[in-house]
Amino acid sequence: MNISQLITIARERRCSDIHITAARNIVFRIDGSLVETEIQMSPAQQRELILSMLNDKQRDLIDNGKDVDMCYTMENGQRQRVNVFHQQKHLACVMRIINDKIPTFEELNLPETLRTLVEEPRGLILVTGPTGSGKSTSLAAMVDYINSNYARHILTAEDPVEYVYTQKKSLIHQRDIGTDVASFEGALRSAMREDPDVILIGEMRDYETISAAVTAAETGHLVLSTLHTTGAASTIDRIIDVFPPHNQQQIRTQLASVLKGVVTQTLVPKADGKGRVAAFEIMTGTDAVLNLIRENKCHQLNSTIQTGSKAGMVLLDSYLAKLVRSGTIKMNDALEKVNDRQAFLAEAGRV
């Protein structure tokens, strides 16, 4: 079996991730659960399968004990995000299957608030959540909405590039970290001379990238990015904590001047067993929210979100309760995602 045949099988089974690891059959992640397949390979066969995806430079990195992040494109154009690493003296690999096409807002059932956010001419929008929660797909839908409706210059910096956009009304340049540019920081520094209207940063990983992203938003650009956080308030805390103590008040002030919204999402199995549905927590940059950030009162943000429905805000627990009441998801699955169990149960109608 070659790598293309394996990926084809995974796609036919609606797999989101492929795991190749020594002494195990190939493992797929389907609807959030790991499923061991019947596909058997020896460690030598697995190694050869993994190496078949790599170019000479990537093989050199592996030979020198490094990990490799890359995008593997099949002959039919289907793309996979790939991480190759060593474990217990063997090569291992995880492949994230990327959708053939960019889904629309309607196909993803994204809240209307997200459409309002991406129509902003400038500012900072963050999409957060754990690994595998659909952040990249939601961001791609948001970018493609701009692409379909506005004549803007969209510049992306991704590691690696995942969704490839077909240029519509917008002009789009996508830069692959490590191939087209050395780092996120370098891509953002260059972006200031490349006349962008919208900048997508694949992930705000460190002090330099976060600082450059906030500066880009301050200078009149719409900046979209992701973080691996699990709530609006914790996202703000995470950003501020990256900065040294003597700079934290400054970043609070900067965030309060540019933040348009924080969207946290997670995926929950559907009640009918056919796939998963996204649940959201949304915080928009109202005066009340921005004042709390500026005054270092992030612990009060959840209360403001709870009472901010008119501004498009919703807590994750409230969104999950709505999905339970509508029969979209099961109570037990929702309970695995909630932050405040008692409040959720009361809102879901079962105390």
Side-chain angles (χ1 to χ4, degrees):
M1 177 179 289
N2 62 35
I3 194 67
S4 294
Q5 291 170 329
L6 175 60
I7 293 170
T8 298
I9 292 170
R11 286 181 175 271
E12 288 173 350
R13 298 185 188 181
R14 295 174 32 251
C15 164
S16 64
D17 299 86
I18 303 170
H19 292 259
I20 304 174
T21 191
R24 289 288 297 270
N25 289 7
I26 302 297
V27 175
F28 291 165
R29 187 177 292 277
I30 301 173
D31 292 338
S33 298
L34 289 177
V35 178
E36 185 163 3
T37 71
E38 75 288 355
I39 304 169
Q40 292 182 325
M41 291 184 183
S42 68
Q45 289 172 322
Q46 290 180 344
R47 179 180 177 84
E48 189 56 40
L49 192 76
I50 293 169
L51 291 177
S52 71
M53 293 186 285
L54 307 185
N55 59 32
D56 290 342
K57 181 180 177 182
Q58 291 160 344
R59 288 190 180 213
D60 286 343
L61 289 171
I62 289 296
D63 289 341
N64 287 302
K66 307 289 186 182
D67 295 349
V68 170
D69 280 313
M70 55 176 279
C71 193
Y72 178 71
T73 305
M74 293 168 59
E75 289 185 2
N76 61 8
Q78 292 177 332
R79 295 166 65 81
Q80 288 69 222
R81 189 181 75 203
V82 181
N83 179 264
V84 180
F85 58 99
H86 293 87
Q87 67 92 29
Q88 296 294 298
K89 300 181 180 179
H90 292 286
L91 271 190
C93 171
V94 179
M95 285 184 277
R96 168 66 51 84
I97 303 294
I98 299 171
N99 291 334
D100 289 343
K101 72 181 195 68
I102 299 171
T104 64
F105 270 60
E106 291 73 23
E107 288 168 340
L108 293 176
N109 292 315
L110 295 181
E112 189 63 28
T113 306
L114 271 66
R115 195 190 308 267
T116 304
L117 287 174
V118 296
E119 289 176 343
E120 292 279 354
R122 64 191 65 84
L124 178 65
I125 301 170
L126 301 173
V127 179
T128 78
T131 300
S133 61
K135 298 186 297 297
S136 296
T137 303
S138 292
L139 266 180
M142 294 163 75
V143 169
D144 206 48
Y145 175 81
I146 298 171
N147 181 27
S148 300
N149 292 279
Y150 299 96
R152 294 182 179 169
H153 180 198
I154 301 170
L155 191 65
T156 81
E158 303 168 74
D159 183 18
V161 168
E162 296 186 23
Y163 289 95
V164 176
Y165 301 93
T166 300
Q167 308 211 20
K168 300 172 186 175
K169 287 189 175 182
S170 290
L171 172 67
I172 304 178
H173 289 110
Q174 294 184 256
R175 308 192 73 190
D176 193 307
I177 304 300
T179 302
D180 300 316
V181 64
S183 65
F184 283 111
E185 183 191 6
L188 284 165
R189 188 166 55 246
S190 296
M192 295 302 99
R193 300 187 294 273
E194 292 162 359
D195 187 36
D197 300 295
V198 179
I199 302 172
L200 168 65
I201 306 165
E203 186 180 346
M204 298 211 308
R205 293 179 177 173
D206 50 36
Y207 168 84
E208 290 79 13
T209 305
I210 292 172
S211 182
V214 172
T215 299
E218 282 185 310
T219 53
H221 305 91
L222 181 64
V223 179
L224 298 90
S225 190
T226 71
L227 282 104
H228 290 288
T229 49
T230 56
S234 63
T235 298
I236 302 303
D237 286 335
R238 173 77 164 275
I239 291 172
I240 292 169
D241 287 346
V242 167
F243 287 76
H246 63 275
N247 284 344
Q248 290 185 354
Q249 186 53 50
Q250 179 185 344
I251 189 61
R252 287 190 194 99
T253 302
Q254 288 178 289
L255 276 177
S257 69
V258 300
L259 188 69
K260 297 300 179 183
V262 178
V263 180
T264 297
Q265 66 180 70
T266 187
L267 296 176
V268 187
K270 290 183 179 178
D272 61 8
K274 298 177 180 178
R276 292 181 291 173
V277 63
F280 297 91
E281 177 165 294
I282 302 174
M283 181 180 77
T284 56
T286 62
D287 289 344
V289 164
L290 299 179
N291 282 334
L292 289 176
I293 294 172
R294 190 181 295 110
E295 295 171 8
N296 192 19
K297 296 180 179 177
C298 290
H299 60 281
Q300 297 179 21
L301 284 173
N302 282 349
S303 297
T304 304
I305 296 170
Q306 192 170 21
T307 57
S309 59
K310 288 184 178 179
M313 292 193 268
V314 62
L315 285 174
L316 178 63
D317 290 1
S318 297
Y319 203 99
L320 288 165
K322 182 182 74 172
L323 292 175
V324 169
R325 291 197 303 270
S326 67
T328 306
I329 63 175
K330 294 179 180 178
M331 175 67 75
N332 287 343
D333 291 325
L335 285 170
E336 292 183 6
K337 306 289 185 178
V338 300
N339 296 311
D340 186 332
R341 183 184 177 94
Q342 290 305 312
F344 163 78
L345 289 172
E347 192 164 354
R350 303 183 194 178
V351 180

